[in-house]
Amino acid sequence: MKAEFQAKKVNENVYWVGVIDWELADFHGYATPQGSTYNAFLVLDEKNVLIDTVKAPYYDEMMSRIRSVIDPGEIDIIVSNHSEMDHSGALLSTYNEVHPEAVYASPKGVEALKRHLKPGFEVLPVAEGQQLSIGKATLTFMLSTMVHWPDSMFTHYDLDGGVLFSNDAFGMHVASTERWADELDPARIRFETAKYYANILWPTSKAVLSVIKKLRGSGLPIATLAPDHGPLWRKDLETVLGWYDGWASGSTRENKAVILFDTMWGSTAKMARAIAEGLGDAGLSVKVMPMSKSHRSDVATELLEASAFVVGTPALNAGIFPTVADVLTYVKGLRPSKPPIPGAAFGSFGWSPAVQKKLAEELAAMGVELVEDPLQVNYVPGSDDLVACVDYGRRIAEKVLAERLDS
Ligand code: FEO
């Protein structure tokens, strides 16, 4: 039977057998207008190995790509690098069709797969650095705990210059027929890699730094980085490793402020415009993000390389405006606090003057270093109020720039 979907060659004996999800619009709260891919890989040798699977609904498409190369019954081993359902969703169906001699995962992966799939077959745990000969090639397992989940693991293939199957790490949510990052626009690649880092890996930056250090110290050859989302990397691997180093350590932050706000009757918006003016006059570039047209995951992306986070809310029912509260909850979970981002709170109120103080407390709780007291305006800002807003922005920028010079 002719396969409907074809495998794509990664190198002599490694094939991409994943799927392209053109329709994905949201990945657990992260807007993905570019779609994504779920990458699975087939390694041919004396023992044929399938590395990761795909989301459950795409099982048939993955099997079709496998069938374009070998009979799926010839798969001897399945390696599950990560138990999250975008990579393990089709594992059970695959197992039931293929009946491999072994399924491997990290020790935490074994536990997680039991909870997710109730598989009814044994999953064998592999240890850090454990090797598995599959014929001419050797696989080496490297635990990448918390990049992205406790069970996350990398698998290294040692032929053809080396391939690192890195699961979520170094991925991006981009659907494309191109399989290599260097075939796409470099600016788009950097943006989407940063967006993925900000929204998926930022909370575990400490683990990212330690895995990169381990990778660099391992001496394992790597000609190809093969993540489970988006295109693969075969050129300038140090570039993407360097981006990860910078994002994880905060060293890529720029002289840039992010102003996030929403508004009821335009007063907080007027304040935002005036504060942006002051920030810009004092030397920061400013990204103004009205919640009327900004998604929480784009705010996270902008914050990844920002040096100031200035947030405005009007008072609504004595509370923070819901769209602003949504972003605060989301960004708080991303823990952008190491090193802390300087910031401040502002907004207008009618009869609930405590709201901007509440906003400042929320910012402090997420690790923002407050460099000014909240700036408030009762009802509608007049000319003097707007002058005060410009001054407020200028003072924030001066403090941020002085702090950056000192560090
Ligand atoms: Fe792509 Fe953590 O799953």
Side-chain angles (χ1 to χ4, degrees):
M1 185 171 72
K2 193 169 180 337
E4 303 91 339
F5 294 90
Q6 301 297 308
K8 312 292 180 201
K9 224 167 185 184
V10 174
N11 64 34
E12 194 54 32
N13 289 301
V14 176
Y15 291 82
W16 175 86
V17 291
V19 300
I20 305 169
D21 186 348
W22 300 101
E23 295 166 84
L24 185 76
D26 180 280
F27 191 89
H28 53 49
Y30 161 2
T32 53
Q34 305 286 324
S36 193
T37 68
Y38 314 112
N39 299 337
F41 301 94
L42 182 65
V43 180
L44 301 185
D45 207 322
E46 287 167 27
K47 299 284 186 189
N48 297 318
V49 183
L50 177 65
I51 297 183
D52 287 326
T53 65
V54 296
K55 265 188 181 176
Y58 296 105
Y59 165 74
D60 288 341
E61 188 170 323
M62 178 191 74
M63 291 307 275
S64 173
R65 291 194 201 277
I66 292 171
R67 213 177 297 116
S68 74
V69 184
I70 58 169
D71 179 332
E74 295 176 52
I75 292 173
D76 301 290
I77 291 167
I78 299 177
V79 173
S80 171
N81 274 334
H82 182 22
S83 61
E84 194 163 9
M85 302 297 261
D86 46 337
H87 311 297
S88 74
L91 177 58
L92 205 49
S93 307
T94 308
Y95 182 92
N96 289 335
E97 176 153 345
V98 167
H99 297 295
E101 61 186 46
V103 179
Y104 293 102
S106 71
K108 291 281 184 196
V110 172
E111 289 171 26
L113 288 172
K114 276 185 192 160
R115 299 297 304 165
H116 276 85
L117 302 176
K118 323 282 185 287
F121 56 80
E122 193 178 13
V123 180
L124 300 170
V126 294
E128 171 69 26
Q130 187 174 325
Q131 294 192 319
L132 180 69
S133 170
I134 57 170
K136 292 188 183 67
T138 299
L139 301 182
T140 302
F141 302 107
M142 180 184 288
L143 303 185
S144 56
T145 310
M146 295 315 296
V147 185
H148 157 230
W149 277 12
D151 62 277
S152 298
M153 170 174 98
F154 295 167
T155 298
H156 180 267
Y157 170 82
D158 65 338
L159 299 185
D160 287 302
V163 181
L164 186 74
F165 301 102
S166 60
N167 195 258
D168 282 332
F170 314 117
M172 68 193 87
H173 284 314
V174 170
S176 65
T177 51
E178 292 84 356
R179 291 276 56 81
W180 298 101
D182 57 77
E183 295 174 317
L184 296 167
D185 173 48
R188 179 183 178 203
I189 288 296
R190 191 185 190 281
F191 176 82
E192 293 297 343
T193 307
K195 183 172 182 180
Y196 184 92
Y197 188 92
N199 286 278
I200 300 287
L201 297 175
W202 204 357
T204 59
S205 287
K206 198 171 156 194
V208 169
L209 287 174
S210 116
V211 162
I212 289 179
K213 192 173 169 197
K214 185 163 69 170
L215 208 52
R216 286 196 166 122
S218 70
L220 293 171
I222 302 172
T224 305
L225 264 178
D228 272 3
H229 296 293
L232 283 57
W233 307 84
R234 63 183 167 186
K235 291 181 184 170
D236 302 326
L237 303 189
E238 268 306 315
T239 300
V240 66
L241 288 173
W243 292 344
Y244 266 51
D245 264 335
W247 294 328
S249 63
S251 67
T252 53
R253 288 189 189 166
E254 300 164 356
N255 288 343
K256 177 178 94 171
V258 173
I259 298 182
L260 157 74
F261 74 95
D262 212 333
T263 196
M264 283 171 69
W265 295 105
S267 294
T268 302
K270 282 182 185 168
M271 294 178 75
R273 284 197 291 276
I275 292 170
E277 186 84 1
L279 288 165
D281 285 352
L284 288 181
S285 76
V286 188
K287 179 76 180 177
V288 179
M289 305 192 80
M291 286 316 298
S292 55
K293 60 173 193 177
S294 306
H295 191 275
R296 65 178 89 84
S297 49
D298 291 320
V299 176
T301 310
E302 291 295 339
L303 271 181
L304 183 64
E305 296 189 323
S307 301
F309 188 30
V310 185
V311 183
T313 183
L316 177 69
N317 299 326
I320 295 169
F321 207 72
T323 51
V324 176
D326 172 275
V327 178
L328 296 183
T329 301
Y330 185 75
V331 172
K332 189 176 181 180
L334 298 176
R335 287 180 250 148
S337 55
K338 289 182 181 138
I341 297 179
F346 69 95
S348 79
F349 68 97
W351 55 96
S352 304
V355 168
Q356 284 77 30
K357 185 164 176 283
K358 199 183 286 183
L359 173 59
E361 287 166 359
E362 285 295 320
L363 290 173
M366 73 168 62
V368 170
E369 176 199 355
L370 296 168
V371 294
E372 285 282 331
D373 289 335
L375 182 66
Q376 298 175 279
V377 167
N378 190 210
Y379 288 113
V380 178
S383 174
D384 288 349
D385 296 314
L386 293 177
V387 168
C389 287
V390 175
D391 285 344
Y392 189 68
R394 192 175 290 126
R395 288 199 305 277
I396 292 169
E398 285 166 358
K399 287 178 184 173
V400 167
L401 289 168
E403 200 171 296
R404 281 173 63 72
L405 270 180
D406 281 350
S407 62

